[in-house]
Structures are given as C-alpha cells and as structure tokens.
C-alpha cells in the first residue's frame, strides 16, 4: 500500500534550501462562536439608531458574552459595569433602554438580580433551524431606539 502524500505548510530558507514545517491548527479561533446579524448590527451602530455610544457598547458586550443560545448571561450588573469601566447606574440606564427596544431580553433572575441576554434576532449560537425556532417567541427588536441627539437638539431650538 502506498503512503498518501500530504500537503504541508513550511518556511523555506532561500539561502540553504532548508525548510521548517509550520504547525497547522484545525480552526484559528478558540472558544464559543456567535452569529451576529450584520445588517441589523450596522443599523444599530449608525447614528440614525439613536443609541448612545455607551448603550451600543453595552449591547456589543452582551453579543459577545453570549455563550449558549437560550441562556442568560449569569453576571451581576456591578460585575458587568466594572468590566466595561462604567458605574452600575450608567449600566442600569443603558440596559433599560436596550430592554425597552427588545435588544436585550430578560432570561431569568436570582433574588433581586435580573439576568439578560441578547435577543436571538441579533445574536445566536446554533443551527439555522434552531435559530428559526428561537425567534418565534420574540418580537423583532427596534433598530431605531430614539431620534438621534443632533436632531433632538435642533428641534428644541426651533420650538
């Protein structure tokens, strides 16, 4: 039986002709991966969404803190606020806006602590079939949360 040839990735020294095999990884990333809706993400990142930079940063944190598709992020508000470098009150205000827009959904609690996760419309881990099933229980989120600040200020001056 002949041995099957295999392709290798190698660095070749052009002066000596010696080569050194470069190890291959099956997959370049470690840990869990999440699917994030690009179109909705860009809509939310735009100024037209009305999200403040802080609110958008909190939302992105929840996108990437998602480890399983249907479970809550089991972290206290103070721990999340500390990681994001903001006060617990500032985090609470941002979460309130995101919850009202259905971008974050309540996913459980313990005592007086409520746990949230990102809506499956924006971020999901799993197959397409499982994703389709997950969004059946939720209304689509708002991508326009409020009037952008520049426009709001202009309207106040006009009145």
């Amino acid at each position: 039986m002949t041995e099957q040839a295999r392709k290798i990735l190698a660095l070749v020294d052009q002066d000596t002709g010696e080569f050194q095999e470069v190890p291959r990884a099956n997959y370049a990333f470690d840990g869990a991966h999440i699917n994030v809706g690009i179109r909705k993400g860009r809509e939310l990142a735009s100024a037209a969404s009305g999200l403040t930079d802080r609110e958008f940063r909190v939302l992105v944190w929840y996108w990437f803190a998602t480890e399983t598709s249907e479970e809550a992020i089991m972290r206290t508000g103070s721990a999340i606020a500390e990681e994001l470098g903001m006060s617990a009150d500032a985090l609470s205000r941002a979460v309130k806006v995101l919850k009202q827009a259905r971008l974050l959904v309540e996913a459980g609690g313990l005592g007086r602590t409520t746990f949230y996760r990102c809506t499956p419309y924006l971020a999901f881990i799993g197959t397409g079939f499982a994703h389709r099933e997950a969004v059946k229980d939720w209304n689509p989120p708002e991508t326009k949360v409020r009037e952008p600040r520049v426009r709001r200020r202009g309207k106040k001056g006009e009145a």
Side-chain angles (χ1 to χ4, degrees):
M1 178 184 259
T2 62
E3 190 174 319
Q4 186 175 3
R6 68 181 181 105
K7 292 181 181 180
I8 62 168
L9 182 61
L11 298 174
V12 178
D13 185 326
Q14 291 190 352
D15 295 331
T16 64
E18 294 178 13
F19 71 93
Q20 177 183 3
E21 187 173 347
V22 176
R24 288 186 180 241
N26 291 335
Y27 195 63
F29 302 100
D30 63 339
H33 294 79
I34 188 163
N35 294 318
V36 177
I38 293 171
R39 184 180 55 81
K40 289 219 183 276
R42 287 187 66 189
E43 287 174 11
L44 290 164
S46 75
S49 73
L51 285 175
T52 65
D53 291 345
R54 177 174 286 159
E55 291 161 353
F56 185 72
R57 189 161 53 108
V58 169
L59 178 60
V60 169
W61 186 90
Y62 272 95
W63 280 349
F64 294 113
T66 299
E67 294 179 2
T68 59
S69 57
E70 296 295 321
E71 292 182 20
I73 312 303
M74 303 294 282
R75 302 273 305 273
T76 64
S78 59
I80 295 169
E82 183 178 331
E83 185 175 330
L84 290 172
M86 63 178 68
S87 70
D89 289 340
L91 176 72
S92 178
R93 287 190 298 272
V95 166
K96 181 179 177 182
V97 169
L98 297 171
K99 183 179 159 192
Q100 287 174 342
R102 295 183 309 280
L103 296 165
L104 293 182
V105 293
E106 286 187 26
L110 182 62
R112 292 180 13 195
T113 303
T114 303
F115 299 118
Y116 298 93
R117 67 178 175 84
C118 193
T119 178
Y121 276 94
L122 290 180
F124 188 78
I125 296 174
T127 65
F129 179 77
H131 189 190
R132 187 173 61 225
E133 291 298 313
V135 297
K136 285 182 179 179
D137 296 334
W138 304 102
N139 290 326
E142 297 291 332
T143 54
K144 186 168 185 172
V145 176
R146 64 172 81 84
E147 284 292 315
R149 289 185 173 221
V150 174
R151 292 186 188 149
R152 289 189 312 206
R153 287 185 186 132
K155 289 182 180 179
K156 287 181 182 177
E158 294 171 6

